[in-house]
């Protein structure tokens, strides 16, 4: 017990890492724990879940080039404010890894600058099919143009969740126009507060209504 306490102080081990047959889950991990995950993760682990992580720990995880070659399918980041360095490494991962199909960044984890950079990285990505940005109130209308461009230029995205953000109704209208042009997108989730204005304002709404969820 005393040895564990000493290690806790020396190594800064405060979080937990859980290993499953097909994924690894990290909650409040230390940089040491993140480095251990990088050492032990293999192609059997299709999903990485990262929750409540510090900047140093997030950088320790995302900066590893080992992730670029892994057969990952899904990356989930929750309650982890992503700094510019974190976003830079995440964009490199999205550019180099050719197997990630689903990306979730939710619960106060990303702001406009991060969204803009990720959208640029994904414009030429042909692997990602689902992008979930749920519950990020720091995503504002500043991100609207980047999201619209992403939808116009990306050829693989099928699902996009923009619920619980601070996007304006005007930005949502531009995004609706983008999925009108991009038939690949089959499911767009938006806040219900925009619904009435969008339905009454966007003349082609009836052509895309089956692809939009207002929640």
């Amino acid at each position: 017990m005393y040895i564990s306490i000493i290690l806790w102080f020396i190594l800064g081990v405060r979080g937990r890492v859980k290993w499953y047959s097909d994924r690894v889950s990290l909650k409040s991990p230390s940089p040491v724990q993140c480095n251990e995950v990088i050492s032990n993760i293999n192609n059997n682990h299709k999903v990485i879940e990262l929750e409540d992580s510090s900047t140093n720990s997030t950088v320790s995880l995302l900066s590893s080039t080992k992730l670029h070659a892994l057969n990952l399918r899904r990356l989930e980041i929750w309650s982890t404010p992503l700094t510019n360095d974190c976003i830079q490494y995440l964009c490199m991962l999205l550019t180099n890894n050719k197997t990630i199909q689903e990306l979730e960044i939710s619960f106060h984890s990303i702001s406009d600058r991060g969204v803009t950079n990720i959208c640029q990285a994904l414009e030429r990505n042909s692997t990602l099919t689902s992008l979930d940005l749920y519950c990020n109130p720091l995503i504002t209308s500043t991100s609207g143009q980047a999201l619209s461009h992403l939808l116009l230029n990306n050829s693989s995205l099928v699902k996009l969740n923009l619920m619980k953000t601070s996007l304006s109704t005007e930005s949502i209208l531009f995004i609706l126009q983008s999925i009108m042009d991009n038939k690949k997108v089959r499911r767009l989730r938006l806040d219900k507060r925009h619904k009435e204005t969008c339905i009454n304002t966007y003349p082609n709404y009836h052509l895309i209504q089956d692809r939009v969820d207002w929640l």
Side-chain angles (χ1 to χ4, degrees):
M1 175 179 176
Y2 292 109
I3 294 176
S4 298
I5 294 175
I6 292 172
L7 287 174
W8 190 91
F9 280 106
I10 293 176
L11 299 178
V13 177
R14 63 186 181 88
R16 63 118 175 100
V17 176
K18 289 187 177 181
W19 292 91
Y20 303 88
S21 61
D22 63 343
R23 70 188 191 277
V24 58
S25 176
L26 303 88
K27 183 172 183 179
S28 304
S30 69
V32 171
Q33 288 174 309
C34 289
N35 289 333
E36 289 176 350
V37 166
I38 293 299
S39 296
N40 294 303
I41 196 170
N42 58 54
N43 279 327
N44 292 324
H45 303 109
K46 310 298 184 185
V47 180
I48 295 177
E49 302 168 348
L50 180 64
E51 180 180 359
D52 191 27
S53 177
S54 68
T55 296
N56 287 341
S57 296
T58 304
V59 168
S60 295
L61 183 70
L62 296 180
S63 63
S64 172
T65 56
K66 181 179 179 180
L67 297 182
H68 296 180
L70 283 180
N71 193 26
L72 295 174
R73 289 292 184 270
R74 181 175 176 87
L75 175 61
E76 301 177 7
I77 301 174
W78 313 321
S79 304
T80 298
L82 298 174
T83 64
N84 291 337
D85 286 342
C86 297
I87 292 293
Q88 178 183 352
Y89 288 119
L90 178 57
C91 288
M92 291 174 62
L93 174 60
L94 293 171
T95 299
N96 291 290
N97 183 287
K98 304 303 181 183
T99 62
I100 296 177
Q101 297 176 356
E102 300 178 7
L103 174 62
E104 177 181 343
I105 306 174
S106 57
F107 296 103
H108 302 264
S109 294
I110 194 168
S111 59
D112 288 324
R113 184 170 182 177
V115 170
T116 298
N117 290 337
I118 286 176
C119 285
Q120 291 173 350
L122 289 176
E123 282 191 9
R124 295 177 180 83
N125 180 289
S126 59
T127 308
L128 197 79
T129 60
S130 176
L131 177 60
D132 190 339
L133 299 175
Y134 177 80
C135 197
N136 285 293
L138 293 181
I139 297 178
T140 72
S141 297
T142 302
S143 296
Q145 186 174 11
L147 288 164
S148 295
H149 284 170
L150 171 64
L151 293 172
L152 288 173
N153 294 298
N154 180 277
S155 61
S156 62
L157 200 63
V158 176
K159 298 178 182 178
L160 176 61
N161 187 352
L162 298 174
M163 291 175 55
K164 303 298 182 183
T165 66
S166 298
L167 287 163
S168 67
T169 302
E170 182 180 6
S171 294
I172 297 300
L173 285 168
F174 281 115
I175 290 169
L176 291 176
Q177 177 60 52
S178 296
I179 72 162
M180 177 69 186
D181 297 330
N182 182 354
K183 303 298 190 296
K184 189 82 173 181
V185 179
R186 302 305 305 167
R187 188 59 56 205
L188 175 63
R189 291 191 168 183
L190 301 169
D191 288 330
K192 196 172 183 178
R193 61 189 173 89
H194 302 294
K195 181 177 181 179
E196 183 176 356
T197 301
C198 288
I199 290 176
N200 294 331
T201 304
Y202 184 51
N204 291 322
Y205 178 74
H206 64 287
L207 298 175
I208 61 171
Q209 60 182 348
D210 293 339
R211 299 157 61 196
V212 182
D213 292 331
W214 303 98
L215 302 169

